[in-house]
Amino acid sequence: MTSAAARTALDLTAELGLPDLEEFYRDLHRHPELSRQEHRTAGLLAGRLKAVGCDTVEGIGGTGVAGVLRNGDGPVVLLRADMDALPVTEETGLPYASRTPGVMHACGHDLHVTWLAGAARALAAGRDAWNGTLVVVGQPAEETGSGAAAMVADGLYARVPRPDVLLGQHAAPGPVGLYPHVPGLILSATTDVEIIVHGRGGHGSRPETTVDPVLTAAYLVTRLQSVVSREIAPRESAVLTVGRIEAGTAPNIIPSTARISLNLRTQSEAVRDRMVAAIRRIAEGECHAAGCPREPEVTVGASFPATVNDAEADRRVAAVHREVFGDGTVFDPGPAMGSEDFSLLAADGQPYAYWFVTTTPAATWDAAPGGDDLFAKLDAIPSNHSPHFAPDLSAVGPGVRALVAAALTHLC
Amino acid sequence: MTSAAARTALDLTAELGLPDLEEFYRDLHRHPELSRQEHRTAGLLAGRLKAVGCDTVEGIGGTGVAGVLRNGDGPVVLLRADMDALPVTEETGLPYASRTPGVMHACGHDLHVTWLAGAARALAAGRDAWNGTLVVVGQPAEETGSGAAAMVADGLYARVPRPDVLLGQHAAPGPVGLYPHVPGLILSATTDVEIIVHGRGGHGSRPETTVDPVLTAAYLVTRLQSVVSREIAPRESAVLTVGRIEAGTAPNIIPSTARISLNLRTQSEAVRDRMVAAIRRIAEGECHAAGCPREPEVTVGASFPATVNDAEADRRVAAVHREVFGDGTVFDPGPAMGSEDFSLLAADGQPYAYWFVTTTPAATWDAAPGGDDLFAKLDAIPSNHSPHFAPDLSAVGPGVRALVAAALTHLC
Amino acid sequence: MTSAAARTALDLTAELGLPDLEEFYRDLHRHPELSRQEHRTAGLLAGRLKAVGCDTVEGIGGTGVAGVLRNGDGPVVLLRADMDALPVTEETGLPYASRTPGVMHACGHDLHVTWLAGAARALAAGRDAWNGTLVVVGQPAEETGSGAAAMVADGLYARVPRPDVLLGQHAAPGPVGLYPHVPGLILSATTDVEIIVHGRGGHGSRPETTVDPVLTAAYLVTRLQSVVSREIAPRESAVLTVGRIEAGTAPNIIPSTARISLNLRTQSEAVRDRMVAAIRRIAEGECHAAGCPREPEVTVGASFPATVNDAEADRRVAAVHREVFGDGTVFDPGPAMGSEDFSLLAADGQPYAYWFVTTTPAATWDAAPGGDDLFAKLDAIPSNHSPHFAPDLSAVGPGVRALVAAALTHLC
Amino acid sequence: MTSAAARTALDLTAELGLPDLEEFYRDLHRHPELSRQEHRTAGLLAGRLKAVGCDTVEGIGGTGVAGVLRNGDGPVVLLRADMDALPVTEETGLPYASRTPGVMHACGHDLHVTWLAGAARALAAGRDAWNGTLVVVGQPAEETGSGAAAMVADGLYARVPRPDVLLGQHAAPGPVGLYPHVPGLILSATTDVEIIVHGRGGHGSRPETTVDPVLTAAYLVTRLQSVVSREIAPRESAVLTVGRIEAGTAPNIIPSTARISLNLRTQSEAVRDRMVAAIRRIAEGECHAAGCPREPEVTVGASFPATVNDAEADRRVAAVHREVFGDGTVFDPGPAMGSEDFSLLAADGQPYAYWFVTTTPAATWDAAPGGDDLFAKLDAIPSNHSPHFAPDLSAVGPGVRALVAAALTHLC
């Protein structure tokens, strides 16, 4: 343990007030809020930031929150948590499961908010040990990809100091106690695509008078599999998910349209462009095959870039994590297919570091098949966005400590 | 013109009060109501029945209405109209188009109600010309196949006299002025089937940790095409429509389940059984191929039998229609794939007759491609359940006259 | 038994020489010959015709045979048998199974030739009992649809007298002893369609550099199911079979092309035209979806019309069959999806009659599931073209008798 | 140029006899021979080896050839070329295109044989400059994956000295003059899988009596796309190619079986196992969906492991290539999806090095779209196994020099 940051981090997080933080987490988990509707969550976070002495601004970019702790000369370090939940019906059976039907914190953002509140409290309490300015951000609407951009567009950096470096961490599957770091591309770019198929509606008993958009959409979804299976080089990592399909209202009415929603994950612009072009071509071809009266509408929607860590910023954080948590706890898992709009907060191209904190309960992890193969075990446990995703409460403390240590690498 | 029924029908319908009936029709069209919610429609119909002297009962089987006109000794003849609309967004552009978003009289039941009100008024006004008892029924929920059974189960025939014969007619595509009759099976049996595919949800960027129910449902829908294309003998008439598919809420979440709703049309029990068995087998096979954690749920839902006219009852009605409207206006189009729950009102197995009244505007018909081929032209114009289905106002009078004439064949 | 034809038929077929005919049948079955290669079969038939006194012509339209028996004034009656076998590997396990690998009499044409030889012998032996001219034709290449046209084009009717009526019969599934007759359309039109998909070949490990024609053909075959399942009215009888698909030579080479062979069965020109148009549209759409470098080649190939019996000619034959075999043995099964080029022999539009003779062994029939449902039982037993198709030897005699009786209705 | 190997290589290859080698190459290209049938090729190679003084053994493992040049004490170095061609119809239009219909040197093995002959001649001529033993091997049947194993099983190393190191090189797309090297996994594992679908055959006009294996195979091929698109983690590189599909013999016969041939490429045992399991599961599911009378037969066939270079052996070769050809000519392209059985010649687990030699004509390369993106350009030009694959004659000399230099790194 040689660095000042590591030593200070351990000091400042020796006593975290865990029972209170855990109760905060359970409360957030019980009350998930969809993107852009994080009113209650934002209010609770703002209250906690004020309570520890932050200057706090609310309502940035909708429901965004920022707190500032000025503590003498030194760099400006931004810590960020995202706050929104997902339209998923929770199936964990936890005593503190969601009480809002159809909405769930299935991505761990409730834990992020808890970590951020804990880190702010620890750093505020230990302000004698560091210098500089801490900016903490509760960001809305990460899931829809619009929250970071909305906060910046709404004047975030006119209201809080511009950061020199940005830091963020995300709950991830894996046995509690690991801190995966990647010194470059850690998360993929994401692109939503919407396709509307225009058929010709009619009575379900007379298909010959119609052009069936339900069937056309089904063929289209099966045809789209070939984009990844045949058109993208195997050395590239790419995903095409049709997350949503919707057509028709009754079994015996053939509707006029069908709608499918795609999400793409890519790690290069060229692959993304090739996929979008293939999707357009396939949609056209399938609608021609169906005899559709109109071309399909293919709309490229929400999209954000890959998250590419600054190698030096990430190296510093990874180093302090190794010191604080032990050598074997930090490793490079390689690029993941997940996506984030965190990087959009680095509005001036500042360096940033983003890493994972594993949160799977030990019992769940140990019971998962896969033997010594990390990835095999990961595939066997509930991933983010699953209705069974359930971070362990034992991850509350380590996450706060990881965030505090990361901040101190730049503030000590 | 040799029959008393024909002469009397012409007398009684010489003056129909068409402007009033047409306004009634437009009003009903503007205010469509979904199955089991036909409160306004039922109230308006009941008001008109009372106004012409019927003993009227409301709220039978939910929103059903019946009126009785006792007129001396003689047979009991039941005339029936169905009242419900469909979850279709109207695209006709008519000045009297639906004012209820997402709901439309796309099957002509508004016209049926208008015809019934007109026929009751004409028969009441001309009661000197006939003997017996007229029962008129405004039936709810034909589209969902539950209305006729609900009225019977709710004691319809404890509240109104049991009919000796039942008569019904349906608006159909074809140039205004035709009366297709079939002396046996005129409409097919219908069976709804619901399939729930159980996958394993997760993050859209990590498909390898999930079992994708959206994709599984898409493959299933394409696979189901082979039931009709390969498993049913070409000499049989059968339809399998997937009218509805629904899965997922967001582009980047792989959901846990997908749901598809099928409607089958068949003309024999054996074919129906073979289709249901094939659907089960295919759903099982596709879910096995996908690696689903659970078997699919295949539920056979609403179902009603073929509509099989009593040959003699239909012959009498067809004969009077020939007299009233001219020889060339009545013909046998053969069995259709449409379905009806009308036959369930014949709760004691009474004879019934059911026929079509064509309602396509002459201009639309003449402009349709297909030359002399009736079926080709029919395929080219909006069919029932289409968002463009638009019966012509000129069909109001002939429909009333057809119903009155049919009733009189049994009452004169 | 009132008609002269029936009485004479029974007389002339009282002693048929069955052991010889059965051995002839077994020999033909052992030595099947593909279309246009029926050299041995034609030679054997010609030998038998000559032996009973026919003037015989060989090599008409390739391997066609005709025999003429002039027997005084009277009508010219043509009896026809087709002679070719199929590229099917026999799986019957019969002691007299095919000795030619990959070729099988899976459609019963060996029985047809046997029947024809037997009928010619019986009619020749009994020529005192009738007047007129008998023409017997052994036709090649019925399976490929080219034999009847080839015989006519090669001057058949310059070499034998033009018939006044043509008669033909076909072995069919069903318990030995039935004679299904249809007084109009009995067999459907057939149309072959060939599709070549042009992709771009390459190494199996680098699909991203290719356009995969194997996958494109597979999607195309699944997409073609919707032609029958969605585009053809259920009241129409139509079949689209992809009987052959061929692409690639090795597991790790992506080929440049794929080829699929379709056969359509239809009962109206409009349906056939709609199907061919749909096939073209779907092939184009699927190849566009795949990104094929060239449009697919869609070629309409061999095609022949529906077989439509002359009502009067068929009525006469059906009547004599009822007399000879009993009332319950003749019935109208309705139009079948099978096809024939027999009608092309009626080159001047002469009347013709064509019927079925059932040939399933009684034990097979009785063991088949399906209860009293004829069609259900038919679906459960090996049909024509199956590698298990095996007519019973007990059908040899009745088939000869049926043909003789049919001829005598026009010759007595 | 500091290493002895590099200097000697340039000396020994200063005069290569290129016109003779080019004519040898054109002759081999004109006369391609399929796997295990490389009689002519092996004879020509053996003749050349003898001519330069090698002790030569023929007929090892079928058509394999080995030559030995003992040259004093020192290591034993094995150089290998594979000799077989592919069942591809050449479309290059070259004056020296294949004269054997349906067979083509579409993978460059003719060039490999030419290189090997040239290198043996150069090393024999320059034997004063090196010490040790040179073993040169002409291997049959690389394309079917059986040749290397067959030579070893047939006692290769009882007939020639066991090597201390093995060296091999392969023609690859890319502008003539590049030498891609990878210090570990350079080529993927390959696994062939054969699937036989058992349906029930019958007449094409009566699909309802059959279980259609053509259609089942088509659905299966489309379903298999989901293995790569959904079941394998995007970070893994994997390919599933259906290179061959075969079913049916005629458009109007529904066959009893269909056969598809798959090739898998993987870079880990776990991924391969997961793919094979998914293929079995999908085949079962699809055949259940189809109602097949028997389970499908899924057979794992030819398979060989990944080619994993010894880091040190490859480093030495890469270093000498850099010296001989220039710094910019050697780079690490990362693992490729191609496969080789070369590694099986290292029967005792000896170190080996395997690299690529680019062979695309400069004009073809410059005209290819893709700008500065190497992989984009590679995707745009004919790859190995394409009917358009055509190495440039200008690659003959560099390939010989590369092989000689590699040998000398171990012999000098």
Side-chain angles (χ1 to χ4, degrees):
Chain A
M1 186 72 54
T2 58
S3 79
R7 284 190 310 271
T8 308
L10 286 176
D11 283 354
L12 298 196
T13 60
E15 210 293 294
L16 281 170
L18 275 182
D20 165 65
L21 285 178
E22 288 174 9
E23 184 49 36
F24 183 39
Y25 169 65
R26 284 189 294 258
D27 180 56
L28 292 172
H29 193 81
R30 262 188 216 105
H31 300 100
E33 295 173 304
L34 290 174
S35 305
R36 315 189 75 92
Q37 303 172 22
E38 310 89 341
H39 300 286
R40 184 179 183 275
T41 308
L44 291 173
L45 175 60
R48 285 183 169 253
L49 295 181
K50 280 180 218 155
V52 302
C54 290
D55 296 332
T56 304
V57 192
E58 297 182 57
I60 313 176
T63 52
V65 176
V68 181
L69 202 60
R70 288 187 178 79
N71 192 28
D73 287 348
V76 180
V77 175
L78 185 151
L79 308 185
R80 171 267 205 174
D82 37 11
M83 307 188 295
D84 51 332
L86 284 160
V88 168
T89 297
E90 180 156 359
E91 300 176 17
T92 62
L94 288 170
Y96 51 93
S98 168
R99 295 183 178 169
T100 307
V103 184
M104 175 190 178
H105 267 300
C107 200
H109 297 188
D110 44 357
L111 197 51
H112 302 178
V113 172
T114 305
W115 287 338
L116 189 69
R121 184 161 71 188
L123 286 164
R127 68 176 67 193
D128 291 350
W130 55 273
N131 294 294
T133 297
L134 180 73
V135 177
V136 295
V137 167
Q139 179 201 306
E142 187 275 336
E143 293 294 350
T144 55
S146 58
M151 287 189 80
V152 171
D154 196 25
L156 171 64
Y157 296 125
R159 309 195 199 183
V160 304
R162 292 190 172 258
D164 296 305
V165 65
L166 299 92
L167 305 173
Q169 63 185 19
H170 204 295
V176 170
L178 299 179
Y179 306 87
H181 275 267
V182 183
L185 189 151
I186 184 168
L187 289 171
S188 302
T190 183
T191 307
D192 287 346
V193 180
E194 183 94 7
I195 305 178
I196 302 177
V197 170
H198 293 283
R200 189 165 55 233
H203 196 289
S205 69
R206 299 194 59 210
E208 74 276 15
T209 67
T210 72
V211 174
D212 185 345
V214 180
L215 181 59
T216 305
Y219 277 116
L220 177 49
V221 172
T222 70
R223 198 40 167 119
L224 287 171
Q225 302 312 303
S226 65
V227 175
V228 167
S229 73
R230 304 263 85 192
E231 297 200 45
I232 302 303
R235 73 182 166 271
E236 306 283 358
S237 296
V239 177
L240 184 163
T241 284
V242 179
R244 183 164 164 270
I245 183 168
E246 196 173 21
T249 55
N252 66 338
I253 308 173
I254 298 170
S256 294
T257 58
R259 185 180 296 260
I260 68 175
S261 305
L262 290 68
N263 180 257
L264 314 182
R265 300 292 164 129
T266 52
Q267 294 176 356
S268 87
E269 196 69 16
V271 168
R272 177 185 175 281
D273 290 351
R274 183 163 185 177
M275 290 179 81
V276 171
I279 291 165
R280 285 189 195 282
R281 194 193 66 228
I282 290 171
E284 284 166 17
E286 288 300 323
C287 288
H288 182 85
C292 287
R294 282 174 53 194
E295 294 272 300
E297 294 173 59
V298 179
T299 311
V300 176
S303 161
F304 37 89
T307 304
V308 186
N309 280 327
D310 179 72
E312 173 55 17
D314 186 68
R315 192 198 58 70
R316 285 169 71 171
V317 177
V320 79
H321 285 167
R322 247 186 228 101
E323 287 184 289
V324 169
F325 298 110
D327 240 22
T329 65
V330 175
F331 66 100
D332 180 349
M337 301 315 298
S339 299
E340 257 291 348
D341 66 353
F342 168 65
S343 66
L344 298 179
L345 290 176
D348 305 313
Q350 293 102 323
Y352 58 80
Y354 187 88
W355 62 93
F356 297 113
V357 177
T358 57
T359 61
T360 306
T364 304
W365 182 257
D366 292 343
D372 291 339
D373 183 338
L374 175 69
F375 284 117
K377 287 180 89 80
L378 285 174
D379 287 354
I381 59 172
S383 65
N384 299 58
H385 288 210
S386 159
H388 296 283
F389 185 72
D392 199 47
L393 284 169
S394 74
V396 170
V400 175
R401 189 167 289 126
L403 207 49
V404 168
L408 291 174
T409 58
H410 293 89
L411 292 169
C412 275
Chain B
M1 186 72 52
T2 58
S3 78
R7 285 192 310 270
T8 307
L10 286 177
D11 281 356
L12 298 195
T13 59
E15 209 294 292
L16 282 169
L18 276 182
D20 166 66
L21 286 178
E22 289 175 9
E23 183 49 34
F24 183 39
Y25 168 66
R26 283 190 295 255
D27 180 56
L28 292 171
H29 193 82
R30 260 188 217 105
H31 299 100
E33 295 173 305
L34 290 174
S35 305
R36 315 188 75 92
Q37 302 172 20
E38 310 88 340
H39 301 285
R40 182 179 185 276
T41 307
L44 292 173
L45 174 60
R48 284 183 171 253
L49 296 181
K50 280 179 217 158
V52 301
C54 291
D55 296 332
T56 304
V57 193
E58 297 183 58
I60 313 176
T63 51
V65 176
V68 180
L69 203 60
R70 288 186 178 80
N71 193 27
D73 289 346
V76 179
V77 176
L78 185 151
L79 308 184
R80 172 266 206 171
D82 37 11
M83 307 188 295
D84 51 333
L86 285 160
V88 168
T89 297
E90 181 157 357
E91 299 176 17
T92 61
L94 287 171
Y96 51 92
S98 168
R99 294 182 179 169
T100 308
V103 184
M104 175 189 176
H105 267 300
C107 198
H109 297 188
D110 45 357
L111 196 51
H112 301 177
V113 172
T114 305
W115 286 338
L116 189 69
R121 183 160 74 188
L123 287 163
R127 67 176 66 193
D128 292 351
W130 56 273
N131 294 293
T133 297
L134 181 74
V135 177
V136 294
V137 168
Q139 179 200 305
E142 187 274 337
E143 294 294 351
T144 56
S146 59
M151 288 189 80
V152 172
D154 196 25
L156 172 63
Y157 296 125
R159 310 196 197 182
V160 305
R162 290 190 175 260
D164 297 303
V165 67
L166 299 91
L167 305 173
Q169 64 185 18
H170 204 296
V176 171
L178 300 179
Y179 306 87
H181 276 267
V182 182
L185 190 151
I186 183 168
L187 288 171
S188 302
T190 182
T191 307
D192 287 345
V193 180
E194 183 93 6
I195 305 178
I196 303 178
V197 170
H198 292 284
R200 190 164 57 234
H203 196 288
S205 69
R206 300 194 58 210
E208 74 277 15
T209 67
T210 72
V211 174
D212 185 346
V214 180
L215 181 58
T216 306
Y219 277 116
L220 177 49
V221 171
T222 69
R223 196 45 168 112
L224 287 171
Q225 301 313 303
S226 64
V227 176
V228 167
S229 72
R230 305 263 83 193
E231 297 200 45
I232 302 303
R235 70 179 169 272
E236 306 284 358
S237 296
V239 177
L240 185 163
T241 285
V242 180
R244 184 164 162 269
I245 183 167
E246 196 173 19
T249 55
N252 65 337
I253 307 173
I254 297 170
S256 294
T257 58
R259 185 180 294 261
I260 67 175
S261 305
L262 290 69
N263 181 259
L264 315 183
R265 301 293 164 129
T266 52
Q267 293 176 357
S268 87
E269 198 68 17
V271 168
R272 177 187 175 280
D273 291 351
R274 182 162 187 177
M275 289 179 82
V276 171
I279 291 165
R280 285 191 196 281
R281 195 191 68 229
I282 290 171
E284 284 166 17
E286 288 300 323
C287 288
H288 181 85
C292 289
R294 284 174 54 194
E295 293 272 300
E297 294 173 60
V298 178
T299 311
V300 175
S303 160
F304 36 90
T307 303
V308 185
N309 280 328
D310 178 72
E312 173 55 18
D314 186 68
R315 191 199 58 70
R316 284 169 72 171
V317 178
V320 80
H321 286 166
R322 249 185 225 101
E323 287 185 290
V324 170
F325 299 113
D327 242 22
T329 66
V330 175
F331 66 100
D332 181 350
M337 301 315 299
S339 299
E340 256 292 347
D341 66 353
F342 168 65
S343 66
L344 298 179
L345 289 175
D348 305 312
Q350 295 102 322
Y352 57 81
Y354 187 88
W355 62 92
F356 298 113
V357 177
T358 55
T359 61
T360 305
T364 304
W365 182 258
D366 293 342
D372 291 339
D373 183 338
L374 175 69
F375 285 117
K377 287 181 87 81
L378 284 173
D379 288 354
I381 60 174
S383 65
N384 298 59
H385 289 208
S386 159
H388 296 283
F389 185 72
D392 199 46
L393 284 171
S394 74
V396 170
V400 175
R401 190 167 288 127
L403 205 50
V404 167
L408 291 173
T409 59
H410 293 89
L411 292 169
C412 278
Chain C
M1 188 73 51
T2 57
S3 78
R7 285 192 310 269
T8 307
L10 285 177
D11 282 355
L12 298 196
T13 60
E15 210 294 291
L16 282 169
L18 275 182
D20 166 64
L21 285 178
E22 288 174 10
E23 184 48 37
F24 183 39
Y25 169 65
R26 283 191 293 258
D27 180 56
L28 292 171
H29 193 82
R30 261 188 217 105
H31 300 98
E33 296 173 304
L34 289 174
S35 305
R36 316 189 75 92
Q37 303 173 20
E38 310 89 340
H39 300 286
R40 182 179 185 276
T41 307
L44 292 173
L45 175 61
R48 284 183 170 253
L49 296 181
K50 280 179 216 153
V52 301
C54 290
D55 297 333
T56 304
V57 193
E58 296 183 60
I60 313 177
T63 52
V65 176
V68 181
L69 202 61
R70 288 187 179 78
N71 193 28
D73 288 350
V76 180
V77 175
L78 184 152
L79 308 184
R80 172 266 204 174
D82 37 10
M83 307 188 295
D84 50 334
L86 284 160
V88 169
T89 297
E90 181 156 358
E91 300 176 17
T92 61
L94 287 171
Y96 51 93
S98 168
R99 295 183 177 169
T100 307
V103 184
M104 174 190 178
H105 267 301
C107 199
H109 296 187
D110 44 358
L111 197 51
H112 301 177
V113 172
T114 306
W115 286 339
L116 190 69
R121 184 162 72 187
L123 287 164
R127 67 176 65 192
D128 292 349
W130 56 273
N131 296 293
T133 297
L134 180 74
V135 178
V136 295
V137 168
Q139 178 200 305
E142 186 275 337
E143 294 294 351
T144 56
S146 59
M151 289 189 79
V152 171
D154 195 26
L156 170 64
Y157 296 125
R159 311 197 198 181
V160 305
R162 292 190 173 258
D164 296 305
V165 66
L166 299 90
L167 304 173
Q169 63 186 18
H170 204 296
V176 169
L178 299 180
Y179 306 86
H181 276 267
V182 183
L185 189 151
I186 183 168
L187 288 171
S188 302
T190 182
T191 307
D192 287 346
V193 179
E194 184 93 6
I195 305 179
I196 303 177
V197 170
H198 293 284
R200 189 165 56 233
H203 196 289
S205 70
R206 300 194 58 211
E208 75 276 14
T209 67
T210 72
V211 174
D212 185 345
V214 180
L215 181 58
T216 305
Y219 277 115
L220 177 49
V221 171
T222 70
R223 196 48 170 109
L224 287 171
Q225 301 312 304
S226 65
V227 176
V228 166
S229 73
R230 304 263 85 193
E231 297 200 46
I232 302 303
R235 73 181 166 270
E236 306 284 359
S237 295
V239 178
L240 184 163
T241 284
V242 179
R244 182 163 164 270
I245 183 168
E246 196 173 20
T249 55
N252 66 337
I253 308 173
I254 298 170
S256 294
T257 58
R259 185 180 296 260
I260 67 175
S261 305
L262 289 70
N263 180 258
L264 314 183
R265 300 292 163 129
T266 52
Q267 294 177 356
S268 87
E269 196 68 16
V271 168
R272 177 186 175 281
D273 290 350
R274 182 162 185 179
M275 289 180 81
V276 171
I279 291 165
R280 287 190 193 283
R281 194 192 68 229
I282 290 171
E284 284 166 16
E286 289 300 324
C287 289
H288 182 85
C292 288
R294 283 173 53 192
E295 294 272 300
E297 293 172 60
V298 179
T299 311
V300 176
S303 160
F304 37 89
T307 304
V308 186
N309 280 328
D310 178 72
E312 173 55 18
D314 185 68
R315 193 197 58 70
R316 285 169 71 172
V317 178
V320 80
H321 286 166
R322 247 185 227 101
E323 287 183 291
V324 169
F325 299 111
D327 241 22
T329 65
V330 175
F331 66 100
D332 179 350
M337 301 314 299
S339 299
E340 257 291 349
D341 66 353
F342 168 66
S343 66
L344 299 178
L345 290 175
D348 306 314
Q350 294 103 322
Y352 58 81
Y354 188 87
W355 62 93
F356 298 113
V357 177
T358 56
T359 61
T360 305
T364 304
W365 183 257
D366 293 342
D372 292 339
D373 183 338
L374 175 69
F375 284 117
K377 287 180 88 80
L378 285 174
D379 288 354
I381 60 173
S383 65
N384 299 59
H385 288 209
S386 160
H388 296 281
F389 184 72
D392 199 47
L393 284 169
S394 74
V396 171
V400 175
R401 190 168 287 126
L403 206 50
V404 168
L408 291 173
T409 58
H410 293 90
L411 292 169
C412 276
Chain D
M1 186 72 51
T2 58
S3 79
R7 285 191 311 268
T8 308
L10 287 177
D11 282 355
L12 298 196
T13 59
E15 208 293 292
L16 282 169
L18 276 182
D20 166 65
L21 286 178
E22 288 174 8
E23 183 48 35
F24 184 39
Y25 168 66
R26 282 189 296 256
D27 180 56
L28 293 171
H29 193 83
R30 261 188 218 107
H31 300 98
E33 294 173 304
L34 289 175
S35 306
R36 316 188 74 92
Q37 302 173 22
E38 310 88 340
H39 300 285
R40 182 179 185 277
T41 307
L44 292 174
L45 175 60
R48 284 184 171 252
L49 294 181
K50 280 179 218 155
V52 301
C54 291
D55 296 332
T56 304
V57 193
E58 297 182 58
I60 313 177
T63 51
V65 176
V68 180
L69 204 60
R70 288 187 179 80
N71 193 27
D73 288 346
V76 180
V77 175
L78 185 152
L79 308 185
R80 172 265 207 175
D82 37 9
M83 307 188 294
D84 51 331
L86 285 161
V88 168
T89 297
E90 181 156 354
E91 299 176 18
T92 61
L94 286 171
Y96 50 94
S98 167
R99 293 182 179 169
T100 307
V103 184
M104 175 189 177
H105 267 301
C107 198
H109 297 188
D110 45 357
L111 196 51
H112 301 178
V113 172
T114 305
W115 286 338
L116 189 69
R121 184 162 71 188
L123 287 164
R127 66 176 66 192
D128 293 349
W130 55 273
N131 295 294
T133 297
L134 181 74
V135 178
V136 295
V137 167
Q139 179 201 306
E142 187 276 336
E143 293 294 350
T144 57
S146 59
M151 287 188 80
V152 172
D154 197 24
L156 171 64
Y157 295 124
R159 310 198 198 180
V160 304
R162 290 190 175 260
D164 297 304
V165 66
L166 300 90
L167 304 173
Q169 64 185 17
H170 204 297
V176 170
L178 300 179
Y179 306 88
H181 275 267
V182 182
L185 191 151
I186 183 169
L187 288 172
S188 302
T190 182
T191 307
D192 287 345
V193 180
E194 183 94 6
I195 305 177
I196 303 178
V197 170
H198 293 283
R200 189 164 57 233
H203 196 289
S205 70
R206 299 193 60 210
E208 74 278 14
T209 67
T210 72
V211 174
D212 185 347
V214 179
L215 182 58
T216 306
Y219 277 116
L220 177 48
V221 171
T222 69
R223 196 47 169 112
L224 288 170
Q225 300 313 303
S226 64
V227 176
V228 167
S229 72
R230 305 263 83 194
E231 297 200 46
I232 302 304
R235 70 179 169 272
E236 306 284 359
S237 295
V239 177
L240 186 164
T241 284
V242 180
R244 183 164 163 268
I245 183 167
E246 195 172 21
T249 55
N252 65 336
I253 307 173
I254 297 170
S256 293
T257 58
R259 186 180 294 261
I260 67 175
S261 306
L262 289 68
N263 180 259
L264 314 183
R265 301 292 164 128
T266 52
Q267 294 176 357
S268 88
E269 198 68 16
V271 168
R272 177 187 175 278
D273 290 351
R274 183 163 187 178
M275 290 179 81
V276 171
I279 290 165
R280 285 190 195 281
R281 195 191 68 229
I282 290 171
E284 284 165 18
E286 288 300 322
C287 288
H288 181 85
C292 288
R294 283 174 53 194
E295 293 273 299
E297 294 173 59
V298 179
T299 311
V300 175
S303 160
F304 35 92
T307 304
V308 185
N309 280 327
D310 178 72
E312 173 55 19
D314 186 68
R315 192 200 56 71
R316 284 169 71 170
V317 178
V320 80
H321 286 167
R322 249 186 226 101
E323 287 185 291
V324 169
F325 299 112
D327 241 21
T329 66
V330 175
F331 66 100
D332 181 349
M337 301 315 299
S339 299
E340 256 292 348
D341 66 354
F342 168 65
S343 65
L344 298 178
L345 290 176
D348 306 312
Q350 295 102 322
Y352 58 80
Y354 188 88
W355 63 93
F356 298 113
V357 177
T358 55
T359 61
T360 306
T364 303
W365 182 257
D366 292 342
D372 291 339
D373 183 338
L374 175 68
F375 284 117
K377 287 181 88 82
L378 285 173
D379 288 355
I381 60 173
S383 65
N384 298 57
H385 288 208
S386 159
H388 296 283
F389 185 72
D392 199 47
L393 283 171
S394 74
V396 170
V400 175
R401 190 167 288 127
L403 206 49
V404 168
L408 291 173
T409 58
H410 293 88
L411 292 169
C412 276

